[in-house]
């Protein structure tokens, strides 16, 4: 009996042990596969990157789809809005985030994620950038590395734009750089620009504001030239306001950078009105210098500055089509007709396969207390308009866009109007002439721009377009 009881107890113990072992194994087995199952679904989640303030303006979400997505589908969708960090140090820094010029495609984007131990981990995700970068959306930042040149280092700045040489002492207007908000545009590289126009003709056509931009381009390119004597005007002309046409040759690159003056793009002339011959504007005929523009590889046009009621006689007996001199025609209608004449010339005479065409939008003036001929001034303006200022878009720019859309030849609009409206500080004012040449303190230039200055940014935009197309 004693031995039998002992066996029964041992049998019961063994039986209980087997049950406990079985239950434990089941728990472990269930737990293991639960973890594995959860991990297989871990791709279906949303990461909130809002703490990464240095690269996002608002909450940015990274959506990762399930790994079962077929190769034909796009497995990754990234919604990101980049905002450059505010400049609090007093000097500009180039942001480190994704570089993309207008329409450029980026195959990899790096997003910084904070880890639990405080260290940042890089997560690479593939993304194609389909949208274009709007370089006009941005802000002016102070950059201690500017200017790219000075009145002393560039011999091509005429007296009207050489503000420092003419006695202007506050020089901060030289040190502001336009920083696009949604893209990290590469800085202007004079050597690369010269290589892009090697063996080509870069031609600026327009009024004195375009001459302003042309002189800026000459100065920006000249800084990369090793031998100054290898840059010269092909007719030995010295740049002045009087002579209108120039062609500077950069011998080492076998290229020319040219300027042709035309206030309206169309022809200025005279016609008999009544018993007198009067000045008229032939809005149906191109400027007489247009034959010289042919064959250029890059054409940069502008007109706007002279299209005012004062300079166009308020449209009374001024605009001419054929033999007809309109007794009265409003400036907007005349401006559109003139642009249509210009666009027809471009479509007829420009080969898009060998020539790129640009049209720069209207640049603003900043007269206070009157106009250029009635005591208008801007001398006291030494600072930019602040970021609360909202730029306007002129009716002339809208007309330009309408005409460009109707052309068969591709024309790129260099839209500089909005960003230039902030720069009330950057006009020559009384420093558009040397002290001994100033006729009066009351005559101030608040239309053109000191060099170095705002037109350098316009040329940077031109450079970006050429760089991307290349």
């Amino acid at each position: 009996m004693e031995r039998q009881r002992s066996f029964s107890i041992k049998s019961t113990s063994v039986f209980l042990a087997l049950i406990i072992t079985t239950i434990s194994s089941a728990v472990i087995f269930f737990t293991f596969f639960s973890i594995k199952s959860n991990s297989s679904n871990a791709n279906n989640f949303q990461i909130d990157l809002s703490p990464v303030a240095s690269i996002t303006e608002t909450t940015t979400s990274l959506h990762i789809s399930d790994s079962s997505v077929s190769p034909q589908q796009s497995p990754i969708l990234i919604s990101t809005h980049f905002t450059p960090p505010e400049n609090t140090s007093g000097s500009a820094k180039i942001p480190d985030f994704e570089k993309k010029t207008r329409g450029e495609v980026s195959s990899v984007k790096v997003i910084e994620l904070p880890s639990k131990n405080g260290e940042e981990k890089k997560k690479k995700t593939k993304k194609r950038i389909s949208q274009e970068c709007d370089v006009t959306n941005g802000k002016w930042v102070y950059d201690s590395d500017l200017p790219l040149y000075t009145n002393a280092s560039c011999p091509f700045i005429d007296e009207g734009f050489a503000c420092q040489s003419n006695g202007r002492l506050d020089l901060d207007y030289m040190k502001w750089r336009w920083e696009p908000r949604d893209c990290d545009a590469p800085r202007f590289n004079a050597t690369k620009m010269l290589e892009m126009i090697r063996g080509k003709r870069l031609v600026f056509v327009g009024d004195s504001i375009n001459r302003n931009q042309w002189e800026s381009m000459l100065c920006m390119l000249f800084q990369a030239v090793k031998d100054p004597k290898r840059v010269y005007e092909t007719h030995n002309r010295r740049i002045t306001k009087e002579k209108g046409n120039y062609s500077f040759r950069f011998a080492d690159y076998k290229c020319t950078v040219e300027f042709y003056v035309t206030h309206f793009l169309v022809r200025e002339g005279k016609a008999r009105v009544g018993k007198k011959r009067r000045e008229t504007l032939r809005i149906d005929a191109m400027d007489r210098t247009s034959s010289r523009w042919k064959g250029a590889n890059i054409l940069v046009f502008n007109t706007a500055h002279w299209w005012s009621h004062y300079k166009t006689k308020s449209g009374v007996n001024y605009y001419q089509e054929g033999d007809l001199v309109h007794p009265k025609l409003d400036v907007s209608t005349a401006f559109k007709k003139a642009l249509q004449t210009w666009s027809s010339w471009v479509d007829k005479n420009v080969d898009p396969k060998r020539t790129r065409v640009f049209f720069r939008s209207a640049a603003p003036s900043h007269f206070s207390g009157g106009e250029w001929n009635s005591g208008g001034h801007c001398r006291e303006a030494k600072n930019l308009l602040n970021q609360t200022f909202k730029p306007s878009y002129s009716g002339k720019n809208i007309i330009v866009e309408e005409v460009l859309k109707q052309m068969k030849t591709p024309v790129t609009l260099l839209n500089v109007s909005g960003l230039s409206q902030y720069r009330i500080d950057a006009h020559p004012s009384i420093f558009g002439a040397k002290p001994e040449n100033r006729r009066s303190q009351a005559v101030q230039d608040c239309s053109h721009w000191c060099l170095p200055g705002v037109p350098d940014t316009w040329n940077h935009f031109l450079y970006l377009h050429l760089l991307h197309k290349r």
Side-chain angles (χ1 to χ4, degrees):
M1 285 296 293
E2 194 67 27
R3 293 181 67 181
Q4 186 177 357
R5 183 183 298 175
S6 174
F7 173 78
S8 299
I9 292 172
K10 287 181 179 181
S11 298
T12 302
S13 300
V14 171
F15 179 75
L16 290 173
L18 287 172
I19 292 174
I20 293 171
T21 301
T22 302
I23 293 173
S24 299
S25 298
V27 171
I28 293 171
F29 181 85
F30 177 81
T31 302
F32 173 79
F33 278 97
S34 294
I35 293 172
K36 188 170 184 180
S37 176
N38 287 337
S39 65
S40 68
N41 293 324
N43 287 338
N44 291 320
F45 67 96
Q46 183 184 80
I47 302 175
D48 187 356
L49 300 183
S50 55
V52 192
S54 62
I55 64 168
T56 58
E57 182 179 23
T58 55
T59 301
T60 305
S61 298
L62 172 62
H63 301 280
I64 305 178
S65 64
D66 189 90
S67 58
S68 62
V69 175
S70 64
Q72 286 77 16
Q73 294 175 309
S74 177
I76 300 174
L77 171 64
I78 305 176
S79 174
T80 313
H81 183 77
F82 289 100
T83 300
E86 293 295 326
N87 176 29
T88 57
S89 63
S91 62
K93 294 182 179 179
I94 301 176
D96 294 324
F97 49 73
E98 170 194 342
K99 294 183 177 180
K100 54 174 181 173
T101 54
R102 189 173 180 83
E104 185 175 330
V105 174
S106 175
S107 60
V108 176
K109 178 178 289 184
V110 178
I111 298 179
E112 304 291 341
L113 296 174
S115 65
K116 293 181 179 180
N117 58 5
E119 296 180 357
E120 292 183 342
K121 295 181 179 178
K122 292 182 179 180
K123 188 173 186 66
K124 294 183 179 180
T125 56
K126 296 180 180 179
K127 173 177 170 60
R128 292 185 64 83
I129 306 302
S130 59
Q131 73 275 17
E132 291 185 339
C133 166
D134 182 5
V135 293
T136 66
N137 179 23
K139 61 182 178 181
W140 291 99
V141 295
Y142 191 85
D143 191 337
S144 58
D145 291 335
L146 294 180
L148 299 175
Y149 58 92
T150 65
N151 289 185
S153 69
C154 181
F156 309 122
I157 306 174
D158 75 63
E159 182 179 343
F161 311 143
C163 302
Q164 183 180 12
S165 296
N166 295 337
R168 182 167 179 174
L169 300 178
D170 61 302
L171 303 180
D172 279 353
Y173 68 90
M174 299 181 180
K175 293 185 172 294
W176 290 96
R177 174 174 58 82
W178 181 255
E179 183 178 87
R181 199 174 300 277
D182 295 327
C183 46
D184 188 6
R187 294 201 176 200
F188 183 87
N189 185 312
T191 302
K192 187 172 288 187
M193 180 68 181
L194 283 167
E195 287 294 345
M196 285 193 289
I197 63 173
R198 179 183 287 276
K200 299 179 180 179
R201 293 176 61 203
L202 169 57
V203 176
F204 291 81
V205 179
D207 56 30
S208 56
I209 308 295
N210 233 25
R211 179 166 60 85
N212 215 168
Q213 183 178 358
W214 168 72
E215 290 184 23
S216 161
M217 178 61 81
L218 286 176
C219 292
M220 294 169 79
L221 295 177
F222 189 67
Q223 306 312 304
V225 174
K226 296 178 181 179
D227 184 359
K229 294 180 181 179
R230 302 285 288 169
V231 180
Y232 53 87
E233 209 285 322
T234 56
H235 297 93
N236 294 319
R237 291 176 178 172
R238 179 175 170 271
I239 300 174
T240 67
K241 292 182 179 180
E242 285 71 35
K243 296 177 181 178
N245 306 320
Y246 303 92
S247 176
F248 275 82
R249 183 170 180 80
F250 288 73
D252 292 335
Y253 295 88
K254 299 178 181 180
C255 65
T256 55
V257 182
E258 307 168 35
F259 172 71
Y260 296 93
V261 63
T262 166
H263 300 137
F264 302 98
L265 296 179
V266 291
R267 186 175 303 172
E268 296 178 71
K270 290 186 177 182
R272 184 170 296 279
V273 180
K275 296 182 179 180
K276 296 182 179 180
R277 283 184 62 80
R278 298 177 181 272
E279 291 184 352
T280 61
L281 185 65
R282 285 286 305 272
I283 54 179
D284 62 340
M286 286 300 291
D287 187 273
R288 290 182 175 85
T289 64
S290 59
S291 60
R292 302 184 187 181
W293 315 340
K294 294 180 181 180
N297 302 97
I298 303 165
L299 280 164
V300 183
F301 291 99
N302 97 297
T303 185
H305 189 50
W306 283 61
W307 288 91
S308 65
H309 284 288
Y310 176 85
K311 289 187 176 180
T312 53
K313 310 296 189 296
S314 298
V316 177
N317 293 324
Y318 184 66
Y319 300 115
Q320 181 181 356
E321 291 183 274
D323 294 330
L324 172 65
V325 177
H326 292 278
K328 177 73 175 179
L329 191 66
D330 68 276
V331 68
S332 295
T333 301
F335 181 67
K336 186 170 185 177
K337 284 176 175 287
L339 282 182
Q340 289 170 336
T341 299
W342 164 82
S343 67
S344 296
W345 182 92
V346 171
D347 283 341
K348 181 180 179 180
N349 294 281
V350 171
D351 180 3
K353 294 180 180 178
R354 70 184 303 268
T355 302
R356 287 206 66 185
V357 184
F358 295 86
F359 195 101
R360 180 178 53 73
S361 66
S365 297
H366 290 97
F367 290 99
S368 296
E371 293 299 322
W372 67 275
N373 59 344
S374 58
H377 56 89
C378 55
R379 182 183 180 183
E380 67 282 355
K382 294 181 173 57
N383 297 305
L384 290 73
L385 297 177
N386 62 41
Q387 295 296 318
T388 59
F389 169 75
K390 299 297 181 185
S392 59
Y393 202 60
S394 74
K396 291 187 182 67
N397 286 337
I398 294 173
I399 293 173
V400 168
E401 290 192 5
E402 290 175 353
V403 172
L404 297 188
K405 289 177 182 177
Q406 297 169 356
M407 296 176 66
K408 66 179 183 180
T409 305
V411 178
T412 302
L413 178 65
L414 290 178
N415 186 1
V416 304
S417 302
L419 62 94
S420 302
Q421 287 183 40
Y422 290 99
R423 298 307 307 277
I424 191 174
D425 61 311
H427 296 290
S429 182
I430 65 168
F431 301 104
K434 296 183 183 299
E436 61 270 22
N437 296 334
R438 290 176 197 155
R439 291 176 295 173
S440 169
Q441 295 280 341
V443 178
Q444 298 189 21
D445 183 355
C446 306
S447 297
H448 297 93
W449 305 89
C450 295
L451 293 180
V454 172
D456 301 341
T457 296
W458 306 347
N459 284 323
H460 186 200
F461 281 12
L462 178 62
Y463 168 76
L464 292 176
H465 282 292
L466 295 173
L467 190 65
H468 165 57
K469 189 67 175 181
R470 187 186 186 199

